[in-house]
Every structure is written in structure tokens, then in C-alpha cells.
Amino acid sequence: MSHIPVAVQMYTLREESHKDFEGTLRKVAELGFEGVEFAGYGDLTVKEVRTLLDELGLQAVSSHVGIEELENDLQKVIEDQKTLGSRFIVCPYVGEELRNKKGYRNIISILDEVGARCRKEGLTLCYHNHDFELEQLPYGRTALEMIFSETDDQNVQAELDVYWLKKAGENPVEWIQRHQNRVPLIHLKDMTTDAEQFFAELGTGGVDIEAVLDTGEDAGVKWWIVEQDISRLTPFESLEISLKYLKTKLPHLSKLY
């Protein structure tokens, strides 16, 4: 299995980051993660974050940036990513008011335009799914199918979230294979096997994480990104369990730490 590095989505550690952003990043490095995906930068400037990342040996993988900011302040977003040394920008979510035919058409237009500008700057725009994009729309397709089919695959790529695909009744591996070379980022999450379908530490639930990992090299995955939206343990305890599991499946991790 090839060396596809592993990052953490900092949303998992949002409360810890709010209290002590620098200290939280230091703990992420101590756990053994190779990179981070940002959802804000705490009370630090992007230059201060970059200095800290360099000190800790962490790579800035990507940042989640809302559609409004992408549309209205893209140049600053691009400059921030270049300062951080990040290659990817991710649109993470669309509000309920946009989840209709007109709204999705508008989103698709924005994504294609933003993605083209990012591409010119040497960056890649990705779209991150939840389960609602897999709901059947009145005109016969899902929103995620529309986004993939109606945007240029060089302008808009994917950050597939395996938990939300599974929750929508889909097979994550099939989605990764179907869109190979368009899925540079994968959110690794697990799901409890009971009716609640709660967020679970990797290797403890019903998502076939091992099969997902096995698809990575052929599909062109550049980063695995661990995220746990909510945890019944502390976030760091959950991340430690997930990373311990990944070390049994990804040999390069066990060699690093």
C-alpha cells in the first residue's frame, strides 16, 4: 500500500482549538498526524499558523471555506492558502435555502468559476458532501450527481465523506472508484451499527474503512483526513483510537511513530 499521508480535520477539535489553538496543533503533531485540514485559524494569523506548522512538521492540506466567502473574497482565500502551503480549498456545505433546483444550479456555476480561478493559481477546489446531496431530487437526479456531471472535472474535484455516503445508503468504495482521479481528499469516518448511526472511531463501526483504504492508490487519493463530528469520548481520545487503527492498516504510520 502506497504512502498516502493522514491528516486531521480541525473541526473535530473545535472546542480545544477555541481555548488554545497553538496547544491543540502541538497535540495533533504529538499524536502522529502528518497534516491538518483547517476550519478557521483560531486567534492566529495565517503567517503565524504557517510558522507553527513548519516548527511542528505538519503540512497544511486544505481549508474548509464557505460558499459565500469563496464567491465574495476568493483572492484572500487563495493568498491565505498559498501562505499556509496548502494545495486544496474545500467548499464544505450548502445551506437548506439552496437545496433546490435553482439553488444547486447557482452553486454549480459558482463552483465552476471559483474552481477555474483556483486552478490558475495552482490550487484545487473540492466539494465536500453530506447525506442530503444524495437525496433524489424531483427531476430524477441527486445534487451530488449534478455537481459532478455539470462542473469541469479539472475545476471542481471531490472530498468524499465516507460516513455521509454510508448514511445515505451508498457504498463509499463504489463512489471513490467511479470518480477516481477526481477524489484527492477523503474524509475517513466510521458509523455505529445500531439504529442511531452515530459517529464512531475508525475500525469500531460499520463502514468498511479497510476497503476504502485499499482503493486509495488506484483512485488517486492524495490525503486521508480523519474527522469525527461528535464524540462520546474526548476528541483527542477518539482521534487516538482512530489513528491507532490506521497504524495497523498503513505501514508508513507505524514507522513514523
Side-chain angles (χ1 to χ4, degrees), residues 25-88:
L25 274 182
R26 291 187 180 279
K27 289 182 181 179
V28 164
E30 289 171 7
L31 276 180
F33 285 99
E34 297 163 274
V36 290
E37 179 176 62
F38 290 104
Y41 312 110
D43 57 354
L44 302 181
T45 67
V46 289
K47 289 183 179 180
E48 289 171 334
V49 173
R50 176 58 188 269
T51 298
L52 183 58
L53 292 175
D54 289 345
E55 176 193 337
L56 298 174
L58 290 170
Q59 172 68 44
V61 177
S62 54
S63 291
H64 277 198
V65 182
I67 191 72
E68 297 84 3
E69 191 174 353
L70 291 174
E71 186 178 16
N72 300 318
D73 203 8
L74 181 58
Q75 193 54 45
K76 183 179 185 303
V77 173
I78 289 171
E79 290 170 2
D80 285 349
Q81 299 317 298
K82 288 184 174 182
T83 298
L84 291 168
S86 168
R87 290 178 50 202
F88 299 96

Side-chain angles (χ1 to χ4, degrees), residues 98-238:
L98 295 172
R99 299 175 200 172
N100 52 62
K101 185 174 183 178
K102 181 179 179 181
Y104 282 125
R105 292 285 183 208
N106 187 43
I107 291 295
I108 286 168
S109 177
I110 294 170
L111 290 175
D112 231 356
E113 181 179 343
V114 168
R117 287 182 58 189
C118 289
R119 190 176 162 198
K120 288 180 180 178
E121 298 281 353
L123 302 173
T124 299
L125 177 70
C126 296
Y127 183 83
H128 170 275
N129 69 281
H130 291 78
D131 56 345
F132 60 80
E133 293 98 341
L134 279 303
E135 295 172 2
Q136 198 73 21
L137 297 171
Y139 36 94
R141 286 193 294 171
T142 68
L144 199 56
E145 289 171 329
M146 284 178 60
I147 290 169
F148 282 146
S149 64
E150 298 183 22
T151 56
D152 186 316
D153 62 3
Q154 297 300 306
N155 292 341
V156 182
Q157 300 203 352
E159 178 177 68
L160 291 179
D161 186 304
V162 301
Y163 170 93
W164 291 115
L165 288 170
K166 178 76 172 179
K167 191 168 176 58
E170 300 286 334
N171 183 329
V173 170
E174 290 180 1
W175 273 85
I176 295 168
Q177 292 172 334
R178 192 183 314 155
H179 298 286
Q180 62 179 344
N181 299 318
R182 200 177 182 177
V183 287
L185 308 177
I186 300 289
H187 266 197
L188 294 178
K189 298 181 186 178
D190 215 335
M191 177 194 295
T192 61
T193 57
D194 56 17
E196 187 178 8
Q197 297 184 313
F198 195 71
F199 303 99
E201 289 75 26
L202 298 181
T204 69
V207 179
D208 192 346
I209 300 296
E210 185 169 0
V212 169
L213 295 173
D214 286 341
T215 68
E217 184 173 1
D218 289 340
V221 174
K222 304 302 182 189
W223 281 90
W224 303 117
I225 301 173
V226 179
E227 180 181 36
Q228 187 156 336
D229 300 40
I230 308 171
S231 173
R232 293 196 171 103
L233 305 173
T234 71
F236 274 116
E237 288 173 332
S238 287

